[in-house]
Amino acid sequence: MGLVDALWPPASERALLGRFYLAEVFTEALNVIFPFQFIYLYLVMERPEWAVLPLIASSAAVLVMEIPTGAVADRWGRKRSVIAGGLMTAVAWASIPVSVSLDGAAQLVGGCGAFLLAGIGRTMVSGAQEAWVVDNLVAEARGDLLDQYFARARSFASLGGIAAGCLGSVILFTSAVDRTLLDALWYIAALGLLLAVYVAKSIPELRPLALAPEAPLPFLQQALAGLRTVLRIRPLFSLMAAVVIATFSGSIVDDAFDISLVTKGMDARALAPLGILDDVIGMLAPLASVFIARSIGATRAMALLLVLSAVSASIFFLDDSLWLVVTLFIVLDALDDIWDPIADTRLQAMIPSRSRAIISSLANQLNELATMTGLAAFAWLLGRQSDSLRELTPGLLEAFSGRMPAPAAMPEAVWGLQIPDFAIVAFVFVGLLAVPFIIASRRPLEGSS
């Protein structure tokens, strides 16, 4: 693969996957709220731990609805599921500013309700979109593009993220920041989803000819058949277990970094340019993942990346200055951006096409359970120091004003680390538990891995 093809898909790839990539760009290019999503909730909700609860509600929706929506996608069409999910998520995002403007318990209920709706919309896209892409490639006899898609889709999403970071920076650094302006970021993000849906409507849905004559199974039989497949294929079971552990490990890291950065004195607006740098790495790292996996093997690469993440996080024991936290944020995210497409490619390669959406949905459901568990643990950790955190956390407009007070002396947890820093280290270390499962998922056909 030459340098040009590494950075830009050739014509044959664009013909099959170009509109999928374009939809990714639209979704991310207008997602100007993304760098500030959690810190917005953390600063606007009445209690610090309440910021985590809407995210738990979203994960709970995925946990309950992932397999049913996967079965619906397998039976009635992946394209319909993706479009419906995009529309539902757009409505949810547009309703968040109103929801969190309420007082008391109504604020918590409204915020959780909006994120619950967004979570349901996300389940209709996850699993179904991967299955739509994979079966389109199989139907066109272009399965060789599978690893390219998973890597390049992330790269195009990161390209859109760079555009969103630039747009967000221009908006926040050239305008007087008030609550109306910050709320408008959610509406712009919802518009990006609508544009992505418009593009998705023009993409055909193809199914492998070998599967076309057979009638779809009822939902319960689909789910049971998918579960039996996972249990029967031991490498698939081991890999899914590894991915679930790694998902738990990364479930709160970005959110903990946001708290750590802002409470150490960083202007919250700086999350936008930091997000641009992060997306530049995110655009290149997935492409590097293809080279790394093909060079040393997927198994070895996945295990090594988790070990490197734990070693990097250990630096917190030496120093917790703002610039060190910024550096660690970038390093850990780069390692994660390389790890994800390798894991996705291996997982999809092990799943039989007939059950691809239902098993992908099962994997996503387990991942959401891991995410929800991690978020609940994080909320508990924040709740233990809720009153202290409220006193030390700046207000919403103060955090985005550039006139930050002196860095807050956050309450310490254990190991001599402040609460957000301790959460980062502890959760990253948990990722090491996935290494034995990664090794167990190794297949003889993988060769040098």
Side-chain angles (χ1 to χ4, degrees), residues 317-353:
F317 292 114
L318 303 178
D319 188 16
D320 64 351
S321 63
L322 176 61
W323 288 109
L324 178 68
V325 175
V326 170
T327 302
L328 282 177
F329 173 82
I330 295 170
V331 169
L332 290 177
D333 197 74
L335 294 173
D336 185 60
D337 285 342
I338 296 172
W339 196 90
D340 283 342
I342 297 174
D344 286 344
T345 300
R346 287 205 66 206
L347 192 61
Q348 288 293 333
M350 292 182 182
I351 300 174
S353 179

PDB file of all heavy atoms in Angstrom, residues 317-353:
ATOM      1  N   PHE A 317       2.643   8.294  39.175  1.00  0.00           N
ATOM      2  CA  PHE A 317       3.259   8.143  40.491  1.00  0.00           C
ATOM      3  C   PHE A 317       4.470   9.061  40.664  1.00  0.00           C
ATOM      4  O   PHE A 317       4.917   9.303  41.779  1.00  0.00           O
ATOM      5  CB  PHE A 317       3.681   6.690  40.708  1.00  0.00           C
ATOM      6  CG  PHE A 317       2.520   5.739  40.824  1.00  0.00           C
ATOM      7  CD1 PHE A 317       2.300   4.769  39.859  1.00  0.00           C
ATOM      8  CD2 PHE A 317       1.637   5.823  41.891  1.00  0.00           C
ATOM      9  CE1 PHE A 317       1.234   3.894  39.959  1.00  0.00           C
ATOM     10  CE2 PHE A 317       0.565   4.958  42.000  1.00  0.00           C
ATOM     11  CZ  PHE A 317       0.356   3.982  41.038  1.00  0.00           C
ATOM     12  N   LEU A 318       5.000   9.558  39.559  1.00  0.00           N
ATOM     13  CA  LEU A 318       6.168  10.431  39.609  1.00  0.00           C
ATOM     14  C   LEU A 318       5.796  11.903  39.594  1.00  0.00           C
ATOM     15  O   LEU A 318       6.448  12.725  40.234  1.00  0.00           O
ATOM     16  CB  LEU A 318       7.103  10.129  38.423  1.00  0.00           C
ATOM     17  CG  LEU A 318       7.592   8.679  38.300  1.00  0.00           C
ATOM     18  CD1 LEU A 318       8.454   8.526  37.050  1.00  0.00           C
ATOM     19  CD2 LEU A 318       8.358   8.269  39.545  1.00  0.00           C
ATOM     20  N   ASP A 319       4.737  12.259  38.853  1.00  0.00           N
ATOM     21  CA  ASP A 319       4.377  13.666  38.704  1.00  0.00           C
ATOM     22  C   ASP A 319       2.936  13.749  38.227  1.00  0.00           C
ATOM     23  O   ASP A 319       2.457  12.859  37.519  1.00  0.00           O
ATOM     24  CB  ASP A 319       5.314  14.341  37.693  1.00  0.00           C
ATOM     25  CG  ASP A 319       5.119  15.849  37.641  1.00  0.00           C
ATOM     26  OD1 ASP A 319       4.507  16.409  38.572  1.00  0.00           O
ATOM     27  OD2 ASP A 319       5.587  16.473  36.666  1.00  0.00           O
ATOM     28  N   ASP A 320       2.219  14.808  38.639  1.00  0.00           N
ATOM     29  CA  ASP A 320       0.839  14.994  38.172  1.00  0.00           C
ATOM     30  C   ASP A 320       0.612  16.424  37.703  1.00  0.00           C
ATOM     31  O   ASP A 320      -0.489  16.955  37.813  1.00  0.00           O
ATOM     32  CB  ASP A 320      -0.161  14.631  39.274  1.00  0.00           C
ATOM     33  CG  ASP A 320      -0.058  15.548  40.493  1.00  0.00           C
ATOM     34  OD1 ASP A 320       0.905  16.351  40.558  1.00  0.00           O
ATOM     35  OD2 ASP A 320      -0.930  15.464  41.373  1.00  0.00           O
ATOM     36  N   SER A 321       1.660  17.044  37.154  1.00  0.00           N
ATOM     37  CA  SER A 321       1.526  18.406  36.651  1.00  0.00           C
ATOM     38  C   SER A 321       0.618  18.433  35.431  1.00  0.00           C
ATOM     39  O   SER A 321       0.389  17.418  34.773  1.00  0.00           O
ATOM     40  CB  SER A 321       2.899  18.973  36.283  1.00  0.00           C
ATOM     41  OG  SER A 321       3.475  18.223  35.226  1.00  0.00           O
ATOM     42  N   LEU A 322       0.112  19.625  35.126  1.00  0.00           N
ATOM     43  CA  LEU A 322      -0.831  19.780  34.026  1.00  0.00           C
ATOM     44  C   LEU A 322      -0.255  19.283  32.713  1.00  0.00           C
ATOM     45  O   LEU A 322      -0.922  18.558  31.964  1.00  0.00           O
ATOM     46  CB  LEU A 322      -1.240  21.253  33.897  1.00  0.00           C
ATOM     47  CG  LEU A 322      -2.158  21.600  32.717  1.00  0.00           C
ATOM     48  CD1 LEU A 322      -3.473  20.843  32.802  1.00  0.00           C
ATOM     49  CD2 LEU A 322      -2.409  23.109  32.674  1.00  0.00           C
ATOM     50  N   TRP A 323       0.992  19.655  32.400  1.00  0.00           N
ATOM     51  CA  TRP A 323       1.558  19.272  31.107  1.00  0.00           C
ATOM     52  C   TRP A 323       1.794  17.772  31.019  1.00  0.00           C
ATOM     53  O   TRP A 323       1.673  17.182  29.947  1.00  0.00           O
ATOM     54  CB  TRP A 323       2.850  20.039  30.850  1.00  0.00           C
ATOM     55  CG  TRP A 323       2.578  21.474  30.550  1.00  0.00           C
ATOM     56  CD1 TRP A 323       2.832  22.557  31.328  1.00  0.00           C
ATOM     57  CD2 TRP A 323       1.917  21.983  29.380  1.00  0.00           C
ATOM     58  NE1 TRP A 323       2.386  23.705  30.727  1.00  0.00           N
ATOM     59  CE2 TRP A 323       1.822  23.383  29.517  1.00  0.00           C
ATOM     60  CE3 TRP A 323       1.396  21.388  28.220  1.00  0.00           C
ATOM     61  CZ2 TRP A 323       1.239  24.193  28.566  1.00  0.00           C
ATOM     62  CZ3 TRP A 323       0.819  22.200  27.251  1.00  0.00           C
ATOM     63  CH2 TRP A 323       0.744  23.583  27.431  1.00  0.00           C
ATOM     64  N   LEU A 324       2.105  17.140  32.146  1.00  0.00           N
ATOM     65  CA  LEU A 324       2.254  15.691  32.124  1.00  0.00           C
ATOM     66  C   LEU A 324       0.909  15.023  31.858  1.00  0.00           C
ATOM     67  O   LEU A 324       0.822  14.063  31.085  1.00  0.00           O
ATOM     68  CB  LEU A 324       2.819  15.196  33.454  1.00  0.00           C
ATOM     69  CG  LEU A 324       2.965  13.674  33.542  1.00  0.00           C
ATOM     70  CD1 LEU A 324       4.053  13.187  32.593  1.00  0.00           C
ATOM     71  CD2 LEU A 324       3.261  13.228  34.963  1.00  0.00           C
ATOM     72  N   VAL A 325      -0.152  15.560  32.461  1.00  0.00           N
ATOM     73  CA  VAL A 325      -1.486  14.997  32.244  1.00  0.00           C
ATOM     74  C   VAL A 325      -1.892  15.143  30.779  1.00  0.00           C
ATOM     75  O   VAL A 325      -2.463  14.218  30.182  1.00  0.00           O
ATOM     76  CB  VAL A 325      -2.513  15.672  33.170  1.00  0.00           C
ATOM     77  CG1 VAL A 325      -3.928  15.168  32.870  1.00  0.00           C
ATOM     78  CG2 VAL A 325      -2.174  15.408  34.634  1.00  0.00           C
ATOM     79  N   VAL A 326      -1.594  16.292  30.175  1.00  0.00           N
ATOM     80  CA  VAL A 326      -1.888  16.494  28.751  1.00  0.00           C
ATOM     81  C   VAL A 326      -1.140  15.469  27.903  1.00  0.00           C
ATOM     82  O   VAL A 326      -1.703  14.854  26.989  1.00  0.00           O
ATOM     83  CB  VAL A 326      -1.517  17.923  28.314  1.00  0.00           C
ATOM     84  CG1 VAL A 326      -1.592  18.060  26.795  1.00  0.00           C
ATOM     85  CG2 VAL A 326      -2.444  18.938  28.973  1.00  0.00           C
ATOM     86  N   THR A 327       0.139  15.270  28.213  1.00  0.00           N
ATOM     87  CA  THR A 327       0.949  14.312  27.444  1.00  0.00           C
ATOM     88  C   THR A 327       0.406  12.894  27.573  1.00  0.00           C
ATOM     89  O   THR A 327       0.302  12.170  26.583  1.00  0.00           O
ATOM     90  CB  THR A 327       2.413  14.363  27.926  1.00  0.00           C
ATOM     91  OG1 THR A 327       2.915  15.692  27.766  1.00  0.00           O
ATOM     92  CG2 THR A 327       3.270  13.401  27.124  1.00  0.00           C
ATOM     93  N   LEU A 328       0.049  12.504  28.792  1.00  0.00           N
ATOM     94  CA  LEU A 328      -0.485  11.154  29.000  1.00  0.00           C
ATOM     95  C   LEU A 328      -1.820  10.963  28.289  1.00  0.00           C
ATOM     96  O   LEU A 328      -2.094   9.886  27.758  1.00  0.00           O
ATOM     97  CB  LEU A 328      -0.651  10.890  30.498  1.00  0.00           C
ATOM     98  CG  LEU A 328       0.621  10.539  31.264  1.00  0.00           C
ATOM     99  CD1 LEU A 328       0.320  10.384  32.744  1.00  0.00           C
ATOM    100  CD2 LEU A 328       1.231   9.255  30.721  1.00  0.00           C
ATOM    101  N   PHE A 329      -2.639  12.011  28.278  1.00  0.00           N
ATOM    102  CA  PHE A 329      -3.915  11.933  27.566  1.00  0.00           C
ATOM    103  C   PHE A 329      -3.686  11.582  26.104  1.00  0.00           C
ATOM    104  O   PHE A 329      -4.363  10.710  25.534  1.00  0.00           O
ATOM    105  CB  PHE A 329      -4.646  13.267  27.688  1.00  0.00           C
ATOM    106  CG  PHE A 329      -5.902  13.365  26.862  1.00  0.00           C
ATOM    107  CD1 PHE A 329      -7.085  12.827  27.314  1.00  0.00           C
ATOM    108  CD2 PHE A 329      -5.889  13.996  25.617  1.00  0.00           C
ATOM    109  CE1 PHE A 329      -8.241  12.904  26.547  1.00  0.00           C
ATOM    110  CE2 PHE A 329      -7.027  14.079  24.846  1.00  0.00           C
ATOM    111  CZ  PHE A 329      -8.216  13.532  25.321  1.00  0.00           C
ATOM    112  N   ILE A 330      -2.720  12.240  25.480  1.00  0.00           N
ATOM    113  CA  ILE A 330      -2.442  12.013  24.065  1.00  0.00           C
ATOM    114  C   ILE A 330      -1.856  10.621  23.841  1.00  0.00           C
ATOM    115  O   ILE A 330      -2.259   9.892  22.919  1.00  0.00           O
ATOM    116  CB  ILE A 330      -1.492  13.101  23.530  1.00  0.00           C
ATOM    117  CG1 ILE A 330      -2.182  14.465  23.585  1.00  0.00           C
ATOM    118  CG2 ILE A 330      -1.046  12.785  22.105  1.00  0.00           C
ATOM    119  CD1 ILE A 330      -1.250  15.630  23.310  1.00  0.00           C
ATOM    120  N   VAL A 331      -0.909  10.222  24.695  1.00  0.00           N
ATOM    121  CA  VAL A 331      -0.260   8.917  24.536  1.00  0.00           C
ATOM    122  C   VAL A 331      -1.262   7.781  24.685  1.00  0.00           C
ATOM    123  O   VAL A 331      -1.327   6.862  23.849  1.00  0.00           O
ATOM    124  CB  VAL A 331       0.890   8.765  25.549  1.00  0.00           C
ATOM    125  CG1 VAL A 331       1.401   7.325  25.574  1.00  0.00           C
ATOM    126  CG2 VAL A 331       2.026   9.721  25.214  1.00  0.00           C
ATOM    127  N   LEU A 332      -2.064   7.817  25.738  1.00  0.00           N
ATOM    128  CA  LEU A 332      -3.019   6.730  25.978  1.00  0.00           C
ATOM    129  C   LEU A 332      -4.076   6.661  24.883  1.00  0.00           C
ATOM    130  O   LEU A 332      -4.500   5.573  24.472  1.00  0.00           O
ATOM    131  CB  LEU A 332      -3.682   6.906  27.347  1.00  0.00           C
ATOM    132  CG  LEU A 332      -2.771   6.663  28.556  1.00  0.00           C
ATOM    133  CD1 LEU A 332      -3.519   6.951  29.857  1.00  0.00           C
ATOM    134  CD2 LEU A 332      -2.240   5.239  28.561  1.00  0.00           C
ATOM    135  N   ASP A 333      -4.506   7.823  24.392  1.00  0.00           N
ATOM    136  CA  ASP A 333      -5.510   7.814  23.332  1.00  0.00           C
ATOM    137  C   ASP A 333      -4.931   7.275  22.025  1.00  0.00           C
ATOM    138  O   ASP A 333      -5.611   6.580  21.277  1.00  0.00           O
ATOM    139  CB  ASP A 333      -6.075   9.209  23.121  1.00  0.00           C
ATOM    140  CG  ASP A 333      -7.388   9.176  22.352  1.00  0.00           C
ATOM    141  OD1 ASP A 333      -8.405   8.791  22.943  1.00  0.00           O
ATOM    142  OD2 ASP A 333      -7.375   9.520  21.155  1.00  0.00           O
ATOM    143  N   ALA A 334      -3.660   7.578  21.754  1.00  0.00           N
ATOM    144  CA  ALA A 334      -3.016   7.053  20.547  1.00  0.00           C
ATOM    145  C   ALA A 334      -2.922   5.531  20.613  1.00  0.00           C
ATOM    146  O   ALA A 334      -3.208   4.833  19.630  1.00  0.00           O
ATOM    147  CB  ALA A 334      -1.634   7.667  20.379  1.00  0.00           C
ATOM    148  N   LEU A 335      -2.535   5.003  21.759  1.00  0.00           N
ATOM    149  CA  LEU A 335      -2.455   3.548  21.915  1.00  0.00           C
ATOM    150  C   LEU A 335      -3.836   2.909  21.744  1.00  0.00           C
ATOM    151  O   LEU A 335      -3.973   1.844  21.128  1.00  0.00           O
ATOM    152  CB  LEU A 335      -1.877   3.208  23.288  1.00  0.00           C
ATOM    153  CG  LEU A 335      -0.413   3.610  23.517  1.00  0.00           C
ATOM    154  CD1 LEU A 335      -0.013   3.371  24.968  1.00  0.00           C
ATOM    155  CD2 LEU A 335       0.521   2.861  22.579  1.00  0.00           C
ATOM    156  N   ASP A 336      -4.864   3.570  22.260  1.00  0.00           N
ATOM    157  CA  ASP A 336      -6.226   3.052  22.121  1.00  0.00           C
ATOM    158  C   ASP A 336      -6.686   3.094  20.671  1.00  0.00           C
ATOM    159  O   ASP A 336      -7.350   2.176  20.187  1.00  0.00           O
ATOM    160  CB  ASP A 336      -7.166   3.869  23.002  1.00  0.00           C
ATOM    161  CG  ASP A 336      -8.582   3.323  23.009  1.00  0.00           C
ATOM    162  OD1 ASP A 336      -8.767   2.164  23.417  1.00  0.00           O
ATOM    163  OD2 ASP A 336      -9.508   4.052  22.605  1.00  0.00           O
ATOM    164  N   ASP A 337      -6.325   4.173  19.943  1.00  0.00           N
ATOM    165  CA  ASP A 337      -6.705   4.299  18.539  1.00  0.00           C
ATOM    166  C   ASP A 337      -6.048   3.227  17.669  1.00  0.00           C
ATOM    167  O   ASP A 337      -6.593   2.846  16.625  1.00  0.00           O
ATOM    168  CB  ASP A 337      -6.327   5.684  18.002  1.00  0.00           C
ATOM    169  CG  ASP A 337      -7.268   6.771  18.487  1.00  0.00           C
ATOM    170  OD1 ASP A 337      -8.376   6.427  18.939  1.00  0.00           O
ATOM    171  OD2 ASP A 337      -6.893   7.955  18.436  1.00  0.00           O
ATOM    172  N   ILE A 338      -4.907   2.753  18.078  1.00  0.00           N
ATOM    173  CA  ILE A 338      -4.258   1.656  17.350  1.00  0.00           C
ATOM    174  C   ILE A 338      -4.891   0.322  17.721  1.00  0.00           C
ATOM    175  O   ILE A 338      -5.111  -0.542  16.867  1.00  0.00           O
ATOM    176  CB  ILE A 338      -2.744   1.632  17.654  1.00  0.00           C
ATOM    177  CG1 ILE A 338      -2.076   2.916  17.143  1.00  0.00           C
ATOM    178  CG2 ILE A 338      -2.081   0.413  17.017  1.00  0.00           C
ATOM    179  CD1 ILE A 338      -0.620   3.056  17.564  1.00  0.00           C
ATOM    180  N   TRP A 339      -5.246   0.164  18.988  1.00  0.00           N
ATOM    181  CA  TRP A 339      -5.775  -1.112  19.492  1.00  0.00           C
ATOM    182  C   TRP A 339      -7.154  -1.431  18.914  1.00  0.00           C
ATOM    183  O   TRP A 339      -7.419  -2.571  18.501  1.00  0.00           O
ATOM    184  CB  TRP A 339      -5.854  -1.056  21.014  1.00  0.00           C
ATOM    185  CG  TRP A 339      -6.011  -2.392  21.691  1.00  0.00           C
ATOM    186  CD1 TRP A 339      -5.013  -3.203  22.120  1.00  0.00           C
ATOM    187  CD2 TRP A 339      -7.249  -3.059  22.016  1.00  0.00           C
ATOM    188  NE1 TRP A 339      -5.548  -4.337  22.700  1.00  0.00           N
ATOM    189  CE2 TRP A 339      -6.909  -4.276  22.642  1.00  0.00           C
ATOM    190  CE3 TRP A 339      -8.588  -2.755  21.834  1.00  0.00           C
ATOM    191  CZ2 TRP A 339      -7.868  -5.185  23.094  1.00  0.00           C
ATOM    192  CZ3 TRP A 339      -9.551  -3.656  22.282  1.00  0.00           C
ATOM    193  CH2 TRP A 339      -9.191  -4.849  22.898  1.00  0.00           C
ATOM    194  N   ASP A 340      -8.036  -0.446  18.867  1.00  0.00           N
ATOM    195  CA  ASP A 340      -9.436  -0.693  18.501  1.00  0.00           C
ATOM    196  C   ASP A 340      -9.628  -1.325  17.124  1.00  0.00           C
ATOM    197  O   ASP A 340     -10.351  -2.320  16.994  1.00  0.00           O
ATOM    198  CB  ASP A 340     -10.242   0.605  18.602  1.00  0.00           C
ATOM    199  CG  ASP A 340     -10.581   0.962  20.040  1.00  0.00           C
ATOM    200  OD1 ASP A 340     -10.502   0.083  20.914  1.00  0.00           O
ATOM    201  OD2 ASP A 340     -10.911   2.141  20.297  1.00  0.00           O
ATOM    202  N   PRO A 341      -9.041  -0.778  16.041  1.00  0.00           N
ATOM    203  CA  PRO A 341      -9.286  -1.399  14.732  1.00  0.00           C
ATOM    204  C   PRO A 341      -8.697  -2.800  14.612  1.00  0.00           C
ATOM    205  O   PRO A 341      -9.242  -3.637  13.884  1.00  0.00           O
ATOM    206  CB  PRO A 341      -8.635  -0.428  13.741  1.00  0.00           C
ATOM    207  CG  PRO A 341      -7.681   0.376  14.538  1.00  0.00           C
ATOM    208  CD  PRO A 341      -8.265   0.471  15.909  1.00  0.00           C
ATOM    209  N   ILE A 342      -7.608  -3.075  15.319  1.00  0.00           N
ATOM    210  CA  ILE A 342      -7.061  -4.431  15.299  1.00  0.00           C
ATOM    211  C   ILE A 342      -8.057  -5.394  15.932  1.00  0.00           C
ATOM    212  O   ILE A 342      -8.347  -6.473  15.395  1.00  0.00           O
ATOM    213  CB  ILE A 342      -5.706  -4.486  16.032  1.00  0.00           C
ATOM    214  CG1 ILE A 342      -4.678  -3.607  15.331  1.00  0.00           C
ATOM    215  CG2 ILE A 342      -5.191  -5.922  16.104  1.00  0.00           C
ATOM    216  CD1 ILE A 342      -3.352  -3.505  16.073  1.00  0.00           C
ATOM    217  N   ALA A 343      -8.614  -4.995  17.082  1.00  0.00           N
ATOM    218  CA  ALA A 343      -9.599  -5.845  17.762  1.00  0.00           C
ATOM    219  C   ALA A 343     -10.863  -6.004  16.924  1.00  0.00           C
ATOM    220  O   ALA A 343     -11.413  -7.109  16.812  1.00  0.00           O
ATOM    221  CB  ALA A 343      -9.935  -5.250  19.128  1.00  0.00           C
ATOM    222  N   ASP A 344     -11.344  -4.913  16.315  1.00  0.00           N
ATOM    223  CA  ASP A 344     -12.553  -4.985  15.490  1.00  0.00           C
ATOM    224  C   ASP A 344     -12.364  -5.920  14.296  1.00  0.00           C
ATOM    225  O   ASP A 344     -13.248  -6.717  13.967  1.00  0.00           O
ATOM    226  CB  ASP A 344     -12.940  -3.595  14.986  1.00  0.00           C
ATOM    227  CG  ASP A 344     -13.537  -2.725  16.076  1.00  0.00           C
ATOM    228  OD1 ASP A 344     -13.923  -3.265  17.118  1.00  0.00           O
ATOM    229  OD2 ASP A 344     -13.598  -1.495  15.879  1.00  0.00           O
ATOM    230  N   THR A 345     -11.218  -5.814  13.652  1.00  0.00           N
ATOM    231  CA  THR A 345     -10.962  -6.639  12.475  1.00  0.00           C
ATOM    232  C   THR A 345     -10.904  -8.116  12.846  1.00  0.00           C
ATOM    233  O   THR A 345     -11.497  -8.965  12.168  1.00  0.00           O
ATOM    234  CB  THR A 345      -9.638  -6.219  11.806  1.00  0.00           C
ATOM    235  OG1 THR A 345      -9.733  -4.846  11.424  1.00  0.00           O
ATOM    236  CG2 THR A 345      -9.362  -7.060  10.572  1.00  0.00           C
ATOM    237  N   ARG A 346     -10.197  -8.432  13.911  1.00  0.00           N
ATOM    238  CA  ARG A 346     -10.108  -9.829  14.342  1.00  0.00           C
ATOM    239  C   ARG A 346     -11.478 -10.370  14.715  1.00  0.00           C
ATOM    240  O   ARG A 346     -11.838 -11.499  14.382  1.00  0.00           O
ATOM    241  CB  ARG A 346      -9.164  -9.957  15.548  1.00  0.00           C
ATOM    242  CG  ARG A 346      -7.696  -9.793  15.199  1.00  0.00           C
ATOM    243  CD  ARG A 346      -6.843 -10.497  16.221  1.00  0.00           C
ATOM    244  NE  ARG A 346      -7.022 -11.930  16.177  1.00  0.00           N
ATOM    245  CZ  ARG A 346      -6.816 -12.749  17.204  1.00  0.00           C
ATOM    246  NH1 ARG A 346      -6.460 -12.262  18.366  1.00  0.00           N
ATOM    247  NH2 ARG A 346      -6.987 -14.035  17.069  1.00  0.00           N
ATOM    248  N   LEU A 347     -12.264  -9.559  15.428  1.00  0.00           N
ATOM    249  CA  LEU A 347     -13.580 -10.013  15.876  1.00  0.00           C
ATOM    250  C   LEU A 347     -14.489 -10.283  14.687  1.00  0.00           C
ATOM    251  O   LEU A 347     -15.137 -11.338  14.611  1.00  0.00           O
ATOM    252  CB  LEU A 347     -14.190  -8.962  16.803  1.00  0.00           C
ATOM    253  CG  LEU A 347     -15.435  -9.373  17.589  1.00  0.00           C
ATOM    254  CD1 LEU A 347     -15.137 -10.539  18.513  1.00  0.00           C
ATOM    255  CD2 LEU A 347     -15.966  -8.187  18.393  1.00  0.00           C
ATOM    256  N   GLN A 348     -14.553  -9.360  13.747  1.00  0.00           N
ATOM    257  CA  GLN A 348     -15.419  -9.534  12.589  1.00  0.00           C
ATOM    258  C   GLN A 348     -14.980 -10.721  11.732  1.00  0.00           C
ATOM    259  O   GLN A 348     -15.806 -11.421  11.155  1.00  0.00           O
ATOM    260  CB  GLN A 348     -15.454  -8.257  11.751  1.00  0.00           C
ATOM    261  CG  GLN A 348     -16.221  -7.102  12.384  1.00  0.00           C
ATOM    262  CD  GLN A 348     -17.707  -7.378  12.491  1.00  0.00           C
ATOM    263  OE1 GLN A 348     -18.270  -8.138  11.700  1.00  0.00           O
ATOM    264  NE2 GLN A 348     -18.353  -6.773  13.471  1.00  0.00           N
ATOM    265  N   ALA A 349     -13.676 -10.964  11.656  1.00  0.00           N
ATOM    266  CA  ALA A 349     -13.171 -12.072  10.852  1.00  0.00           C
ATOM    267  C   ALA A 349     -13.583 -13.423  11.417  1.00  0.00           C
ATOM    268  O   ALA A 349     -13.670 -14.414  10.686  1.00  0.00           O
ATOM    269  CB  ALA A 349     -11.651 -11.993  10.751  1.00  0.00           C
ATOM    270  N   MET A 350     -13.842 -13.491  12.710  1.00  0.00           N
ATOM    271  CA  MET A 350     -14.225 -14.754  13.345  1.00  0.00           C
ATOM    272  C   MET A 350     -15.719 -15.022  13.302  1.00  0.00           C
ATOM    273  O   MET A 350     -16.161 -16.141  13.564  1.00  0.00           O
ATOM    274  CB  MET A 350     -13.770 -14.750  14.808  1.00  0.00           C
ATOM    275  CG  MET A 350     -12.272 -14.781  15.019  1.00  0.00           C
ATOM    276  SD  MET A 350     -11.905 -14.837  16.800  1.00  0.00           S
ATOM    277  CE  MET A 350     -10.108 -14.796  16.756  1.00  0.00           C
ATOM    278  N   ILE A 351     -16.536 -14.002  12.999  1.00  0.00           N
ATOM    279  CA  ILE A 351     -17.989 -14.146  13.085  1.00  0.00           C
ATOM    280  C   ILE A 351     -18.566 -14.615  11.750  1.00  0.00           C
ATOM    281  O   ILE A 351     -18.312 -13.997  10.715  1.00  0.00           O
ATOM    282  CB  ILE A 351     -18.646 -12.801  13.475  1.00  0.00           C
ATOM    283  CG1 ILE A 351     -18.123 -12.322  14.825  1.00  0.00           C
ATOM    284  CG2 ILE A 351     -20.166 -12.942  13.521  1.00  0.00           C
ATOM    285  CD1 ILE A 351     -18.614 -10.945  15.211  1.00  0.00           C
ATOM    286  N   PRO A 352     -19.366 -15.687  11.731  1.00  0.00           N
ATOM    287  CA  PRO A 352     -20.024 -16.106  10.492  1.00  0.00           C
ATOM    288  C   PRO A 352     -20.982 -15.028   9.987  1.00  0.00           C
ATOM    289  O   PRO A 352     -21.646 -14.364  10.782  1.00  0.00           O
ATOM    290  CB  PRO A 352     -20.801 -17.367  10.914  1.00  0.00           C
ATOM    291  CG  PRO A 352     -20.129 -17.835  12.165  1.00  0.00           C
ATOM    292  CD  PRO A 352     -19.641 -16.597  12.855  1.00  0.00           C
ATOM    293  N   SER A 353     -21.073 -14.867   8.669  1.00  0.00           N
ATOM    294  CA  SER A 353     -21.848 -13.777   8.092  1.00  0.00           C
ATOM    295  C   SER A 353     -23.324 -13.831   8.485  1.00  0.00           C
ATOM    296  O   SER A 353     -23.933 -12.807   8.752  1.00  0.00           O
ATOM    297  CB  SER A 353     -21.734 -13.796   6.563  1.00  0.00           C
ATOM    298  OG  SER A 353     -22.505 -12.766   5.995  1.00  0.00           O
TER     299      SER A 353
END
